[in-house]
Amino acid sequence: SVLTIRGCPILITYWLENIIYRYFQGTPKAFWLEFSMDGHNMSFTVIVTILQKQHQVNKQDIVIIAYKKYGEEFDAKFLYQKKDKIHVISNASGIVHYYQKLKII
């Protein structure tokens, strides 16, 4: 869904939820200390950009963990089927998604 503020549509997504979570994780003062520059609070867009970069770093960490944990079994475990062919998952997002599913099982 979309939220409109001052005529600007904002897609309510994972990033908005993540910002709200980070805001209430500590104190408002701590949040704005992290997300301010030159004494001014950063905009929503800038905060989302920072969180996306942090998320990419976290994603790469999870990929490394998955490779280390499964070692030689990785290519046999992280698979998907496309048409009639089996492929090893090679992109970070896919690896993270599948790794999280394996942890739940």
Side-chain angles (χ1 to χ4, degrees), residues 39-99:
H40 299 288
N41 295 347
M42 294 177 187
S43 69
F44 176 81
T45 304
V46 173
I47 294 170
V48 167
T49 301
I50 290 168
L51 293 175
Q52 286 173 329
K53 287 178 184 174
Q54 290 173 357
H55 182 71
Q56 288 298 329
V57 170
N58 294 340
K59 196 186 301 186
Q60 289 304 321
D61 291 342
I62 293 170
V63 169
I64 292 167
I65 290 167
Y67 276 120
K68 286 182 179 179
K69 180 175 181 175
Y70 292 100
E72 292 178 8
E73 296 177 20
F74 184 90
D75 287 356
K77 199 105 168 137
F78 287 76
L79 302 172
Y80 69 97
Q81 184 172 350
K82 186 174 182 182
K83 297 189 180 180
D84 290 334
K85 293 187 179 184
I86 303 289
H87 303 275
V88 176
I89 301 169
S90 58
N91 66 27
S93 294
I95 292 169
V96 169
H97 178 74
Y98 195 76
Y99 180 73

